[in-house]
Amino acid sequence: MTTYALLLRGINVSGHRKVPMAELRALLEELGHGDVRTYLQSGNAVFTTDDDAPEDTLAAAIEDAIERRFGFRCDCLVRDGAYLAAVAGACPFPAAELEGKQLHAVYYSAPVTPDRFAAVDAEAHHPESFALGDRVLYLYTPDGLGRSKLAEAVLRPSLNKGVVATARNWNTVRRLVEMTAAG
């Protein structure tokens, strides 16, 4: 039995693309997953499964089920607890010293390389900063994501063409690590 986190992209924002968490839990259970729990209303779930399908296959099945149930397609990423713990452990920023809103993990559906972000002048955004990891971009925004010009630059659709990207603040990163470890 493996414990996974499900990260949905772009749901429950300003009353659009609504996915009630109780219905998401029911949908995951209908797909045969167990110990289903959700975190916040922004599209985070944890579940267990003995299905040894690749994460992308699990995500595609959930995307199809969401489209059938809610009438719209929603990008999903599925990551196991070991990966989430490794991402948190490899953070190049002093996560323990920062507020959760100051640090984010942008999870990607595939590896991203520095060339993708070569056009971003990181120095122009100082003290904001970013670093790449294993299918993740760590984003330090001292004043929060909403005011960040660097976040705006690295999350531009043109820089993220061909991959699914979804961001979580560090409080959520930590909580998903805890939830998948307890799974």
Side-chain angles (χ1 to χ4, degrees), residues 1-4 32-33 47-59 78 80:
M1 201 62 84
T2 305
T3 303
Y4 292 97
H33 304 306
F47 64 90
T48 59
T49 187
D50 55 7
D51 185 341
D52 60 355
E55 291 172 341
D56 291 346
T57 302
L58 292 170
V78 173
D80 70 31

Side-chain angles (χ1 to χ4, degrees), residues 2-7 55 77-91 105-112 132-138 164 166 168 170 173 176-178 180-181:
T2 305
T3 303
Y4 292 97
L6 168 65
L7 309 172
E55 291 172 341
L77 296 179
V78 173
R79 296 292 182 256
D80 70 31
Y83 168 81
L84 295 175
V87 164
C91 181
V106 182
Y107 296 99
Y108 287 92
S109 58
V112 290
L132 294 177
D134 174 19
R135 295 177 295 162
V136 68
L137 179 140
Y138 300 94
V164 173
T166 187
R168 298 297 186 270
W170 208 253
V173 169
L176 290 174
V177 168
E178 291 168 5
T180 55

Side-chain angles (χ1 to χ4, degrees), residues 9 16 23-24 26 28 31 33 47 50 54 65 74 76 81 85 93 108 110 118 125 149 153 162 171 173:
R9 183 177 177 278
H16 300 286
E23 290 185 46
L24 177 61
L28 292 171
L31 291 173
H33 304 306
F47 64 90
D50 55 7
C74 170
C76 298
F93 298 103
Y108 287 92
H125 300 286
K149 295 297 181 191
N171 291 333
V173 169

Side-chain angles (χ1 to χ4, degrees), residues 15-75:
H16 300 286
R17 296 170 45 103
K18 287 188 174 187
V19 177
M21 294 298 100
E23 290 185 46
L24 177 61
R25 287 190 300 272
L27 182 140
L28 292 171
E29 289 169 354
E30 289 166 15
L31 291 173
H33 304 306
D35 194 26
V36 178
R37 295 163 283 151
T38 53
Y39 178 66
L40 301 175
Q41 296 295 314
S42 57
N44 303 290
V46 170
F47 64 90
T48 59
T49 187
D50 55 7
D51 185 341
D52 60 355
E55 291 172 341
D56 291 346
T57 302
L58 292 170
I62 295 167
E63 288 171 355
D64 291 344
I66 288 172
E67 186 172 25
R68 284 190 304 273
R69 173 80 52 95
F70 299 104
F72 60 84
R73 193 128 186 110
C74 170
D75 289 327

